[in-house]
Amino acid sequence: MRLIGKNGPGAKSAATTEADTEGWAESSENHPGALPAQRTGGLTERRPGGYGPDSLVHVSASQFAAAIGPYGAATEDEEGEEGRGRAGFDSASFETALAAREQAALEARHRQAADDGDPEAASRLGTLLLRRGDLEDAESYLRSAAAAGLRAAANNLGVLLHQQGHRSEAAQWWRQAAVAGSAPAAHALGLQLRDQGEEEAAEYWLHFAADHGHPLGAYALGDLMEHRRDVRAERWFKVSADAGHREAAYRLARMREAAGDKETAETWYRTAAARSHARAALRLGVLLEERSRVDHALLDEAARWYRQSAQNGEPRAACALGFLLRDSGDLTAAAEWWQEAAEAGDGNAANALGALHASRGEAAEAERWYRSALDAGDQNGAFNLGLLCAGAGRDQQAEQWYRRAAYAGHREACNALAVVLLQRGDESGAEPWFSKAAEAGSVDGAFNLGVLHAGRGDHRQAQEWYARAAAEGHGEAALQLAVVQEQRGNLAGALERYRQAAAGGSAEGAFRLASVLDRRGDADAEAEHWYAVAADAGHRRAQVRMGVRAADRGALEIAESWYRRAAGAGSRSAAFNLGLLLARQDCEAEAMLWYTRAADAGHGRAALRLALLALRRGEPVQAENWCRRAADYGPAEVAERAGRLLGALHAELSA
């Protein structure tokens, strides 16, 4: 077994090797303001063949006692214990005990040499004791070595004093070590000066550390410069990232992303994420998910990085992974990740869980998660609670939740609260909330404000708010603008707005666009496209129009399908046309049913057709009733024909 040390073959010269001390227990990547782990340097050239290891095993005194005991003198009872190896001992315990024994022997040699006046041994012993947490014992050895001019001892003495709260004296020793060329000491001194507000001096020492190849110094220098909005920050983050500093790689990626250079940002996110940086893996997943709109295969890679980030403790990644799984149809796995994120305090995930339970009709569970989101500081929770209460008919509670979210600045809650107030007749109370919603960027709020002004006859203000909402893609707002343009005779302007309305999801906008194109007669294919878009969205008049166009082409089955859809949704024109189609196919009994449905809904032609059929069957009284209804329903042409038919009936009945 190789002994831990550097006195054997192949050992490096003490003059070229610096001992490590953990110094600060926390990494500066997680706590940028804390002092990082220190690497010591010597103030004087060391003697070849010095004392101590290249790397020291970190074992506390209690661990050492526990470990060395069984190895010292095993008893018969110990040799018979369970879990020991084939030779009568536990191999893992043996290795631990041997390492502890070797370290104890090493420490004894250091202590003997230090007590004999060897400053190098005193420095190494002080470092070993410092790493073990024996600060009181370490201090005397480090002080004697530092006084002898060893810069490693001066640096580590600064670490010890800083841990004890003696910041001023720590800075003095760090300065002494830094002046002697210690990059770690310069880094530590720079951080302390920065924390004291002495940024100019801090920059000098951090620059010194960075120039001497200290990656933490380069990172801290970049951090300081970024705080000052100094463009040189990127350079130092890159120096540190190239040396393996994952937080520097992440910060560099953020800077490149903010500058719009997503390709370079992705490279650095990937570098940091490969070193298990949770936030970098999250951002890498986000960028890959964005690019997956073009290359769908990237979704799998995005999911992998989200999963890695989530497993490293980033709840936002768990939430994002949940949404990816939901979109792929795996709601069970999505819910598991959302729950993990929600339990870690992610309000967005809690809202997603609430929405999932609400969609299943599990109102109690939905409410629990929405409240959890609210407790996490996500005001969407209050808004969603309002929606949940409104859906359950608990209007008063809904208003209270909307109001809470609205006062917290939730724009859609402002709009919802205004709608509630307007429905209650409180127009003066609704207007300020519509305005607040619109000013915060709610397109629905802007549209509703336009409706409010239009209702008052203030058409100029209404048009302004409609235009604002339409600019953000609100289809119904664009429709209102288009109707005004068409009324003014501006057909080109109307077409532009109708296109905008159709693109924004307005079925009425798509239908009117198709109608204008149809009347113009030079874009039949495009007209049919927009009729189909509107019809597929459930627009009944568009469905009737699709049926008429199909019938004109002789596609009677397609026509019948469209008529049935529209008639089933309550279109009297579709019911009448379906009756005509069925009658031509010798299905007069069913045709009569659809004529009757259309006539009962006020369709004059259907009533007139029923009157004629009644006459054909020799039912003059029924015919007279349908004629009267046809005359009442109109239009004028139908009323005139119904009137003539009534006159003929009267003449025949009185003859």
Side-chain angles (χ1 to χ4, degrees):
M1 176 173 292
R2 188 178 72 85
L3 294 177
I4 302 177
K6 64 176 184 181
N7 295 321
K12 293 183 181 179
S13 166
T16 60
T17 305
E18 296 181 338
D20 275 342
T21 177
E22 293 185 359
W24 304 102
E26 308 256 26
S27 166
S28 64
E29 290 189 27
N30 297 324
H31 302 277
L35 288 171
Q38 302 294 311
R39 180 176 292 277
T40 61
L43 287 170
T44 60
E45 186 174 314
R46 302 178 188 174
R47 293 169 297 176
Y51 302 91
D54 285 317
S55 60
L56 300 177
V57 179
H58 188 182
V59 180
S60 68
S62 59
Q63 288 173 314
F64 169 72
I68 201 67
Y71 178 70
T75 66
E76 290 181 3
D77 291 337
E78 289 172 339
E79 290 177 351
E81 288 176 3
E82 291 182 4
R84 295 194 174 274
R86 189 162 48 87
F89 62 89
D90 186 306
S91 60
S93 298
F94 177 81
E95 293 290 343
T96 302
L98 182 60
R101 185 180 185 188
E102 290 173 350
Q103 181 169 344
L106 182 63
E107 181 180 335
R109 291 199 303 273
H110 285 333
R111 192 178 296 274
Q112 180 62 49
D115 291 343
D116 289 342
D118 187 338
E120 178 73 23
S123 176
R124 292 187 176 277
L125 178 59
T127 298
L128 187 152
L129 295 169
L130 173 62
R131 297 175 75 188
R132 201 165 68 198
D134 296 342
L135 302 188
E136 185 175 351
D137 197 12
E139 184 175 351
S140 61
Y141 288 105
L142 289 175
R143 281 190 183 277
S144 65
L150 270 70
R151 72 182 188 189
N155 178 52
N156 288 335
L157 180 57
V159 172
L160 185 149
L161 292 167
H162 195 279
Q163 288 184 356
Q164 293 177 329
H166 306 309
R167 296 170 62 86
S168 179
E169 188 182 358
Q172 293 174 10
W173 287 109
W174 278 332
R175 188 179 299 274
Q176 179 176 322
V179 168
S182 170
H187 169 236
L189 179 59
L191 291 182
Q192 181 154 314
L193 291 168
R194 180 200 65 185
D195 293 346
Q196 293 171 353
E198 301 178 43
E199 291 190 359
E200 187 174 344
E203 182 178 342
Y204 172 83
W205 287 113
L206 292 175
H207 214 298
F208 178 93
D211 283 340
H212 283 74
H214 196 284
L216 295 177
Y219 171 76
L221 182 58
D223 185 47
L224 182 64
M225 288 181 170
E226 186 183 36
H227 171 69
R228 295 174 170 180
R229 303 182 187 278
D230 190 324
V231 294
R232 293 176 297 169
E234 188 171 327
R235 171 198 169 192
W236 291 110
F237 281 144
K238 186 176 187 304
V239 168
S240 184
D242 285 337
H245 196 288
R246 64 181 188 177
E247 179 69 17
Y250 171 72
R251 296 280 292 277
L252 179 58
R254 293 292 286 181
M255 293 181 76
R256 294 315 310 153
E257 184 179 5
D261 183 4
K262 290 191 176 182
E263 184 176 352
T264 305
E266 184 179 320
T267 299
W268 285 110
Y269 281 137
R270 197 177 292 277
T271 299
R275 296 168 184 161
S276 298
H277 193 289
R279 286 171 294 157
L282 168 62
R283 289 303 309 164
L284 178 57
V286 169
L287 291 184
L288 290 169
E289 187 176 356
E290 289 175 356
R291 289 207 290 123
S292 70
R293 296 166 190 165
V294 177
D295 183 358
H296 193 71
L298 291 174
L299 275 178
D300 289 339
E301 187 182 358
R304 289 198 300 273
W305 288 113
Y306 282 148
R307 183 174 281 104
Q308 175 181 306
S309 180
Q311 290 169 343
N312 284 330
E314 178 53 72
R316 292 174 297 174
C319 180
L321 180 57
F323 281 113
L324 275 190
L325 291 167
R326 179 204 63 182
D327 293 343
S328 69
D330 191 350
L331 282 177
T332 302
E336 290 174 358
W337 284 107
W338 282 334
Q339 183 163 342
E340 181 173 319
E343 289 174 349
D346 189 282
N348 193 25
N351 274 313
L353 268 179
L356 180 61
H357 286 291
S359 69
R360 295 170 175 170
E362 300 163 355
E365 276 296 289
E367 183 169 343
R368 180 170 79 86
W369 286 111
Y370 287 150
R371 287 182 181 274
S372 178
L374 189 57
D375 290 341
D378 191 329
Q379 293 302 323
N380 278 314
F383 175 61
N384 288 333
L385 282 166
L387 294 175
L388 192 68
C389 290
R394 293 147 55 190
D395 295 336
Q396 187 175 359
Q397 287 178 282
E399 182 179 338
Q400 290 172 353
W401 286 117
Y402 288 150
R403 195 176 293 276
R404 175 168 176 175
Y407 274 113
H410 193 290
R411 64 189 187 188
E412 298 309 328
C414 293
N415 180 63
L417 176 59
V419 170
V420 169
L421 295 172
L422 190 61
Q423 289 173 341
R424 203 162 64 205
D426 186 4
E427 184 177 312
S428 61
E431 184 174 359
W433 288 112
F434 278 139
S435 296
K436 188 173 182 179
E439 293 296 345
S442 168
V443 291
D444 287 336
F447 173 72
N448 288 335
L449 205 51
V451 172
L452 195 66
H453 284 292
R456 295 172 179 168
D458 188 353
H459 297 295
R460 185 184 63 81
Q461 280 277 46
Q463 292 291 298
E464 288 179 5
W465 285 111
Y466 287 148
R468 188 163 174 173
E472 296 298 325
H474 197 288
E476 296 305 318
L479 174 63
Q480 296 300 320
L481 296 169
V483 169
V484 171
Q485 293 297 322
E486 188 174 6
Q487 289 172 346
R488 292 174 179 171
N490 182 3
L491 197 58
L495 277 172
E496 181 182 353
R497 288 296 188 182
Y498 281 139
R499 290 184 194 282
Q500 189 177 5
S506 170
E508 179 68 18
F511 173 73
R512 286 176 177 256
L513 172 59
S515 298
V516 172
L517 293 170
D518 205 1
R519 291 197 304 270
R520 208 170 65 177
D522 59 354
D524 188 67
E526 187 182 1
E528 177 138 354
H529 165 74
W530 289 113
Y531 279 138
V533 167
D536 286 334
H539 194 284
R540 292 181 300 179
R541 292 172 65 194
Q543 290 169 343
V544 172
R545 197 65 61 87
M546 288 294 290
V548 170
R549 293 169 74 89
D552 289 344
R553 294 195 302 269
L556 300 185
E557 289 185 6
I558 295 175
E560 182 179 340
S561 173
W562 282 116
Y563 289 150
R564 286 189 183 278
R565 283 182 63 180
S571 169
R572 63 188 187 187
S573 295
F576 175 67
N577 288 354
L578 180 56
L580 292 176
L581 190 65
L582 291 167
R584 288 205 296 269
Q585 295 173 348
D586 296 325
C587 300
E588 191 163 308
E590 188 181 357
M592 288 282 292
L593 294 175
W594 289 109
Y595 289 148
T596 303
R597 181 179 293 191
D600 287 341
H603 196 284
R605 286 188 174 85
L608 184 59
R609 180 59 61 101
L610 286 167
L612 293 171
L613 290 172
L615 276 177
R616 192 193 313 171
R617 292 195 307 270
E619 300 172 352
V621 176
Q622 284 282 12
E624 183 179 2
N625 289 335
W626 284 118
C627 276
R628 292 186 186 282
R629 291 175 66 176
D632 290 338
Y633 296 155
E637 176 192 344
V638 171
E640 181 183 351
R641 290 182 62 192
R644 289 201 303 268
L645 185 56
L646 272 173
L649 279 171
H650 286 155
E652 185 177 337
L653 290 171
S654 61

